[in-house]
Amino acid sequence: VIENGLFYQNNATAFGSAIFGETKRLTIKNATFSNNIVSGSAAIYITTFVGNNSEIRNSIIYGNSSAVNQINSGNNVSYSIIEGGYSGIGNIASDPLFVNPVSNNYRLQSGSPAINAATITGATSTDIVQGIRACTPDMGAYEFQ
């Protein structure tokens, strides 16, 4: 389980610049992935065993360099911002409006579509800096304060 993770400025030449691996099940919630560079396939590349799916919820995967996509197929993704889109409940493809990604500030600006857009079900109670999450939490590692 990865909660409130912030993955940025990772590099790979083939697969998974931020995460690459094979697992029975991986759960990622309230995480932010941005500015990860991969020349092959997907910033997040997770292979799961037959009959198992990894889950990504309440997360932001945006601003990564990928020749193919942001996430490889076969994962259950919900209530997340995925650049380029990804099918699933509550997913959107809009710019999350980070404060200043060039300076590695991945907090949310006022007006971000990630604010109050996540689900409370399974959400973390605090964010990456121990800020209390709202009743309707935000997507990503940081709760807008």
Side-chain angles (χ1 to χ4, degrees):
V1 176
I2 297 172
E3 296 179 338
N4 294 327
L6 176 59
F7 296 80
Y8 65 98
Q9 294 185 346
N10 296 291
N11 295 288
T13 56
F15 299 99
S17 57
I19 293 179
F20 175 73
E22 180 177 83
T23 183
K24 286 186 176 180
R25 182 170 176 84
L26 174 65
T27 300
I28 300 170
K29 50 188 175 178
N30 294 100
T32 298
F33 298 82
S34 189
N35 200 21
N36 296 291
I37 299 168
V38 61
S39 56
S41 176
I44 299 174
Y45 194 92
I46 306 166
T47 303
T48 54
F49 296 106
V50 176
N52 296 292
N53 286 319
S54 289
E55 180 180 4
I56 300 170
R57 184 183 328 126
N58 295 351
S59 296
I60 299 172
I61 303 165
Y62 197 91
N64 299 292
S65 168
S66 174
V68 181
N69 54 22
Q70 299 294 315
I71 308 169
N72 66 308
S73 62
N75 294 291
N76 181 14
V77 181
S78 61
Y79 298 97
S80 296
I81 290 181
I82 311 296
E83 185 174 9
Y86 198 94
S87 63
I89 298 168
N91 292 338
I92 56 179
S94 302
D95 184 335
L97 301 178
F98 294 128
V99 170
N100 191 347
V102 173
S103 296
N104 302 320
N105 185 342
Y106 296 102
R107 293 177 182 274
L108 302 173
Q109 292 182 40
S110 177
S112 168
I115 296 171
N116 297 330
T119 179
I120 192 70
T121 304
T124 60
S125 59
T126 60
D127 71 2
I128 193 168
V129 292
Q130 302 304 305
I132 303 296
R133 291 222 181 251
C135 293
T136 305
D138 301 340
M139 296 173 175
Y142 293 99
E143 188 77 2
F144 180 75
Q145 301 295 324

